[in-house]
Amino acid sequence: MGSSSHIPFQDPHLNPSPTLIPKLEPITESTQNLAFQLPNSNPQAPISSSNEPSNSDSDNVAETFRSAFAQRLRRHDDVTVLDSLTGAIVPVEDNPNPESVPVDASPPSGVFTRRPKPQQRSSELVRITDVGPDGERQFRENVRRTRMVYDSLRIYMMMEEAKRLGFGGRKGRADSKAASLMKDCFLWLNRDKRIVGSIPGVQVGDIFFFRLELCVMGLHGQTQAGIDYLTGSLSSNGEPIATSVIVSGGYEDDDDQGDVIIYTGHGGQDKLGKQAEHQKLEGGNLAMDRSMYYGIEVRVIRGLKYENSVSSRVYVYDGLFRIVDSWFDVGISGFGVYKFRLERIEGQAEMGSSILKLASTLKTNPLSVRPTGYISFDISNRKENVPVYLFNDIDSDQEPLFYEYLAKASFPPGLFIQGSGSATGCNCITGCTSGCICEAKNSGEFAYDYHGKLIRLKPLIHECGPACQCPPTCRNRVTQKGLKNRLEVFRSLETGWGVRSLDVLHAGAFICEYAGVALTREQANIMTMNGDTLVYPARFSSARWEEWGDLSQVLAGYQLPSYPQIPPVDFAMDVSKMRNVACYISHSTDPNVIVQLVLHDHNSLMFPRVMLFTAENIPPMTELSLDYGVADDWTAKLAICN
């Protein structure tokens, strides 16, 4: 970019309307940061569920939202301004939230409740600051619940359509239908205010699998356009303002250098995505120019190709950028395009797109980016489907090498002898279908979708076993297929040893089995006398995720299925000599991994297998965590592993 290539915005090829280029005086120090109008109504309330927070909790979230940008208001003569570094837009009249319309519970389960369409997006710009740790946790929980509803609804609609058309039939866009239905039910976040800067509850590096999920979160409000902006007709000063952009390589003149992006404006492309005419200084292009003028930051989301079982692309939130320059240039195809130079604001977490590239390289050529620190490139000794790395760049500890690796938990041999005599299985040839005996074992519904993702937590899942005629590819054989994602055990200053994935993990994805040697209560009491390390599956807690799959807010008359109770899990897992990668997952009261009990190779309810699934979308290189829970009565005196 040089001065020779700079062409004024009044380039004759564009012939812009004079109204699109208002002549404004530079903003002075005293007026650059104009006030954000404080809302009179509550922001989007947290999503309700069977375990919904009380009204006081919802009020706390609303109060946190208001106070986040109210605390830094100050007075300049007769104008209220926000003490901010980047400026803002003058306030407009409040638009109160539409009152929520209650769901009519009279239609049968599965009937969609069509509510009045929500109001247009607000024309009021706000910046959220000073949230604090408690407020951030509340917003993060709100985001988590909303994403849970979106994923559950998307899977539900996909499954219902598969039942109607057959698995091989042409499917509709379940992601689009889920987003539309949530919008009609007022479940989209951040609709009552246009947020400039960071979205509360959304963190740098967060992964999204669908473009419309960005709209549901309020991260990017355009379903197709790469520039999200407030139009001049809605803006109180008559000028459009850009708030976020998606960088996905859709324009041939883009130049993405990581912390610096040369972003091409929109418009002028043909149906094949080639530049076919000059761009104009209007719409999002003008909004980008005005955001640069006022010093307003924009959110950057990168769309990257990433093959996975859910989609062929992922969207990564990479944080806040400033627009520092703009010019009109001749593009690769010979047509005039607007270009904007975006520079990342310092002091933010590492970009998720950079971590994705690092993780991808680690899977193929780890020593090229980490020449030191690797102790082993497969501590499983080929017992897993994929290698398990061992990495330590902190000290000389090599403890995981001292244990025999178990890919599966070891149970008493008598279980399999007893189970084989009473085993019953399906007669499905190509795979389990609706109405088979294995579906009946699972209370009339399969536990997994067609991509092998857990639909909802159950007390116990019965997978197809040796007595079933279905092939290994059957959708009801998810956990017995073993580890699929590349995991790494690493040394951590915070948790001692920890586990992270080199792959993107979608919510509900199977990770691995928690493996050790299963002991009865009597055996456990003897082993603890020797000081051996035991883990108690009964203690694992997944209480926070019990509402997973609850669609009562969206589907009229919907009720979570009821399942028969199972006997308490009454065994311990000895991991003192033999263990697997799961034993190095750290404890957390806010975990991203959940436990699901599964039976497939025997029928004893007393000894189910302990399977681990992701509780949310987990970016690569993010540490996995479990809630190991607390001791129950009979193990009150015993130590908890990890």
Side-chain angles (χ1 to χ4, degrees), residues 15-36:
N15 212 10
S17 169
T19 59
L20 295 179
I21 312 176
K23 296 180 180 180
L24 299 177
E25 296 296 327
I27 299 178
T28 64
E29 179 68 22
S30 62
T31 61
Q32 182 176 3
N33 303 311
L34 298 177
F36 297 132

Side-chain angles (χ1 to χ4, degrees), residues 42-49 51-66 134-135 137-139 141-142 145:
N42 289 345
Q44 181 72 47
I47 292 180
S48 60
S49 68
N51 294 328
E52 183 178 4
S54 63
N55 291 336
S56 61
D57 291 335
S58 302
D59 293 340
N60 289 338
V61 174
E63 181 59 32
T64 301
F65 186 96
R66 289 194 295 272
D134 291 340
R137 281 192 292 270
Q138 292 180 33
F139 283 120
E141 181 71 7
N142 199 20
R145 287 172 175 264

Side-chain angles (χ1 to χ4, degrees), residues 385 408 424-432 438 441-442 446-453 461-484 510 598-601 611 613:
N385 299 325
K408 299 180 179 179
T424 56
C426 65
N427 297 318
C428 304
I429 304 301
T430 59
C432 284
C438 292
K441 284 183 180 180
N442 288 286
F446 288 112
Y448 313 112
D449 69 5
Y450 289 111
H451 298 299
K453 302 299 184 293
I461 291 175
H462 294 267
E463 289 191 0
C464 294
C468 295
Q469 302 300 313
C470 58
T473 56
C474 176
R475 57 180 288 200
N476 196 37
R477 293 182 181 270
V478 171
T479 64
Q480 54 196 275
K481 296 175 184 177
L483 182 67
K484 288 186 176 181
F510 172 64
V598 176
L599 285 179
H600 64 79
D601 50 358
M611 300 299 185
F613 289 80

Side-chain angles (χ1 to χ4, degrees), residues 211-380:
R211 175 74 177 262
L212 280 162
E213 193 178 3
L214 303 174
C215 299
V216 175
M217 294 297 108
L219 193 60
H220 187 82
Q222 299 290 332
T223 58
Q224 293 182 334
I227 303 175
D228 189 17
Y229 64 99
L230 179 70
T231 63
S233 61
L234 294 177
S235 175
S236 58
N237 64 351
E239 297 183 273
I241 297 297
T243 55
S244 64
V245 298
I246 293 180
V247 183
S248 57
Y251 282 83
E252 59 190 8
D253 294 291
D254 283 351
D255 182 11
D256 189 353
Q257 304 169 19
D259 287 347
V260 177
I261 303 170
I262 307 301
Y263 187 82
T264 307
H266 65 187
Q269 286 190 329
D270 59 19
K271 295 181 179 179
L272 299 177
K274 296 293 185 181
Q275 203 67 33
E277 61 181 61
H278 300 302
Q279 291 182 349
K280 299 179 180 180
L281 188 60
E282 60 185 19
N285 296 339
L286 181 58
M288 292 285 283
D289 176 66
R290 294 293 83 196
S291 287
M292 180 189 68
Y293 180 84
Y294 287 113
I296 296 177
E297 69 273 26
V298 294
R299 298 182 292 273
V300 169
I301 303 104
R302 282 184 167 93
L304 306 172
K305 291 183 179 180
Y306 193 94
E307 291 298 330
N308 58 82
S309 62
V310 179
S311 64
S312 60
R313 178 177 291 271
V314 296
Y315 295 91
V316 188
Y317 175 49
D318 271 345
L320 303 178
F321 285 65
R322 295 194 194 282
I323 309 169
V324 299
D325 196 9
S326 64
W327 66 98
F328 186 75
D329 203 352
V330 177
I332 294 175
S333 299
F335 294 95
V337 294
Y338 279 94
K339 293 186 177 181
F340 304 91
R341 180 182 176 89
L342 280 62
E343 295 183 358
R344 195 167 190 257
I345 298 174
E346 295 182 354
Q348 302 180 80
E350 185 176 0
M351 292 189 299
S353 58
S354 299
I355 297 176
L356 272 173
K357 294 177 182 177
L358 170 64
S360 178
T361 304
L362 290 176
K363 290 188 292 184
T364 56
N365 190 11
L367 294 178
S368 65
V369 289
R370 282 181 178 172
T372 61
Y374 282 105
I375 301 173
S376 171
F377 287 109
D378 189 11
I379 62 173
S380 78

Side-chain angles (χ1 to χ4, degrees), residues 1-226:
M1 180 182 65
S3 58
S4 60
S5 64
H6 181 87
I7 300 177
F9 282 113
Q10 291 85 358
D11 186 86
H13 291 293
L14 298 182
N15 212 10
S17 169
T19 59
L20 295 179
I21 312 176
K23 296 180 180 180
L24 299 177
E25 296 296 327
I27 299 178
T28 64
E29 179 68 22
S30 62
T31 61
Q32 182 176 3
N33 303 311
L34 298 177
F36 297 132
Q37 184 77 19
L38 295 183
N40 291 328
S41 57
N42 289 345
Q44 181 72 47
I47 292 180
S48 60
S49 68
S50 58
N51 294 328
E52 183 178 4
S54 63
N55 291 336
S56 61
D57 291 335
S58 302
D59 293 340
N60 289 338
V61 174
E63 181 59 32
T64 301
F65 186 96
R66 289 194 295 272
S67 63
F69 56 87
Q71 292 174 356
R72 300 181 64 182
L73 289 176
R74 54 190 176 88
R75 299 287 302 181
H76 271 284
D77 299 329
D78 59 344
V79 179
T80 303
V81 302
L82 184 69
D83 185 11
S84 166
L85 296 178
T86 57
I89 305 303
V90 294
V92 297
E93 293 295 327
D94 268 348
N95 289 323
N97 286 337
E99 294 184 1
S100 299
V101 179
V103 177
D104 181 6
S106 57
S109 176
V111 177
F112 300 148
T113 300
R114 308 298 295 186
R115 308 186 187 190
K117 291 187 177 181
Q119 65 180 27
Q120 295 294 319
R121 296 176 66 199
S122 170
S123 60
E124 184 176 344
L125 290 172
V126 299
R127 181 184 289 108
I128 308 299
T129 60
D130 299 329
V131 171
D134 291 340
E136 178 60 29
R137 281 192 292 270
Q138 292 180 33
F139 283 120
R140 188 68 175 172
E141 181 71 7
N142 199 20
V143 166
R144 180 190 68 81
R145 287 172 175 264
T146 304
R147 297 187 73 173
M148 185 186 299
V149 171
Y150 175 78
D151 256 341
S152 299
L153 182 59
R154 180 186 62 82
I155 292 174
Y156 175 86
M157 301 184 76
M158 181 179 63
M159 301 289 286
E160 289 297 304
E161 193 166 16
K163 290 179 182 178
R164 189 174 72 254
L165 302 177
F167 182 60
R170 184 176 180 180
K171 306 298 188 299
R173 289 284 304 277
D175 60 309
S176 177
K177 293 178 180 178
S180 177
L181 191 58
M182 288 183 68
K183 183 178 181 181
D184 290 347
C185 294
F186 302 110
L187 295 180
W188 283 24
L189 299 182
N190 305 311
R191 296 290 293 180
D192 58 340
K193 296 289 179 285
R194 296 281 188 110
I195 297 179
V196 172
S198 300
I199 299 294
V202 177
Q203 298 176 353
V204 173
D206 278 354
I207 296 283
F208 304 87
F209 287 84
F210 300 97
R211 175 74 177 262
L212 280 162
E213 193 178 3
L214 303 174
C215 299
V216 175
M217 294 297 108
L219 193 60
H220 187 82
Q222 299 290 332
T223 58
Q224 293 182 334

